[in-house]
Amino acid sequence: MTKILNRVERRLHHIFYPAPEYIIIAGAKSYYLRQNYQRLCGQIQILQSLFLTFSLIIRYWQRQSRQRRRLWSLKLSKISSNQAADSDRQPK
């Protein structure tokens, strides 16, 4: 029985002896991962704000171009209606 207990104790010692070192290494790696995660979250926020700004600029530009097209078509219709009115007034 003592041989079995000695063997079990050696096995457990072999298994658990390096545990504190592994815990320290795992703690350092988790700290490194937390630092990278925080940095990544900051970069994601910057990208989100850039995408939001970019989409707002695109929407504004699209509205402006629509308004310009409307104004252009109004100007063209006024010009063509003025020309039609002038041609009706001129004697043939």
Side-chain angles (χ1 to χ4, degrees):
M1 179 76 165
T2 54
K3 284 185 179 182
I4 294 173
L5 288 176
N6 281 338
R7 235 188 257 163
V8 169
E9 186 202 357
R10 274 185 270 148
R11 249 355 237 169
L12 289 174
H13 178 75
H14 178 71
I15 292 170
F16 291 116
Y17 179 74
E21 183 181 342
Y22 292 147
I23 291 171
I24 291 170
I25 291 170
K29 288 183 179 181
S30 66
Y31 174 78
Y32 175 76
L33 287 173
R34 271 189 246 114
Q35 293 293 331
N36 282 342
Y37 180 74
Q38 287 178 351
R39 190 177 317 127
L40 181 63
C41 286
Q43 290 172 346
I44 288 172
Q45 286 179 344
I46 290 170
L47 283 174
Q48 285 175 337
S49 65
L50 285 173
F51 282 129
L52 177 65
T53 305
F54 187 66
S55 67
L56 290 174
I57 290 170
I58 288 174
R59 284 187 207 154
Y60 178 76
W61 180 75
Q62 287 174 342
R63 283 188 195 143
Q64 292 299 314
S65 63
R66 274 190 226 128
Q67 288 175 354
R68 281 189 212 127
R69 282 186 294 223
R70 284 185 198 138
L71 288 174
W72 184 253
S73 65
L74 285 174
K75 286 179 185 177
L76 287 177
S77 64
K78 284 182 183 179
I79 291 171
S80 63
S81 65
N82 286 343
Q83 286 177 350
D86 287 344
S87 66
D88 289 342
R89 288 185 210 147
Q90 291 179 358
K92 293 183 183 179

